[in-house]
Amino acid sequence: MKKQLIMAGALVVLAGWAMGCKSTYDAKRISAGNVQREGHIVFVRPHRNYPLQSLRRRLEITHEAASQNAAGLLVVQVGCRNKGGIDLPLSVKTAFYNQPFGAPGNQTSVPIYETPIRTFNILRGMTEEYTVTCPKKGAVDYQVTISEIVH
């Protein structure tokens, strides 16, 4: 019985380690100057050899707004329009910061909250509104990461 528990525990640890090692994009350290040039909306490739320009040509950001609601929480709204061609399956994740993102002296800031990845499909010619609220008070800036889902 004890050996079975040890084996089960080892399998759980191994499975957790294997799942944690997979990423949809190459997370490399970038210089402080590059962080300052990053905008509030960032497009990333689903994998290394995927053409990033194709997503930028097919997806238009119609509007981007951030405001505080009555509870003092930061609310971000981003409009995404599919320019046509094919349906766009997207994944979106937002990181909230308690200091302006990329400001001098804040190049390595850790987000105070990150949303889970949300997936949605934008049909040809349609516009989707992505709205997210940071559940933690004190958020003053954000960064939205958008990637196309590859099947």
Side-chain angles (χ1 to χ4, degrees):
M1 179 71 171
K2 191 174 184 180
K3 286 183 182 181
Q4 291 173 338
L5 287 175
I6 291 173
M7 288 297 290
L11 286 174
V12 168
V13 169
L14 182 62
W17 175 76
M19 288 187 319
C21 291
K22 187 170 171 102
S23 176
T24 56
Y25 62 95
D26 214 3
K28 294 180 183 175
R29 189 168 209 38
I30 60 173
S31 69
N34 286 340
V35 171
Q36 289 177 341
R37 285 193 299 270
E38 289 286 345
H40 283 121
I41 299 177
V42 177
F43 294 98
V44 295
R45 292 179 178 94
H47 55 77
R48 183 178 302 229
N49 297 320
Y50 194 79
L52 181 61
Q53 286 184 330
S54 65
L55 179 58
R56 287 189 176 155
R57 280 194 306 241
R58 292 183 288 161
L59 182 69
E60 175 187 4
I61 303 301
T62 59
H63 65 278
E64 172 188 356
S67 60
Q68 290 199 346
N69 64 11
L73 302 175
L74 186 63
V75 178
V76 174
Q77 296 175 321
V78 178
C80 300
R81 185 179 78 82
N82 183 343
K83 293 180 183 179
I86 62 170
D87 295 347
L88 284 177
L90 300 176
S91 68
V92 181
K93 183 176 182 176
T94 304
F96 292 95
Y97 299 89
N98 62 358
Q99 298 177 21
F101 181 76
N106 188 31
Q107 284 82 18
T108 58
S109 177
V110 176
I112 61 170
Y113 180 76
E114 286 185 304
T115 63
I117 294 173
R118 177 180 162 205
T119 60
F120 59 93
N121 191 35
I122 304 178
L123 301 176
R124 285 178 268 183
M126 300 299 292
T127 300
E128 283 285 331
E129 174 92 12
Y130 172 72
T131 302
V132 62
T133 302
C134 180
K136 294 189 176 186
K137 288 193 176 190
V140 296
D141 210 352
Y142 64 94
Q143 189 170 51
V144 178
T145 304
I146 301 173
S147 178
E148 190 170 359
I149 298 172
V150 178
H151 297 286

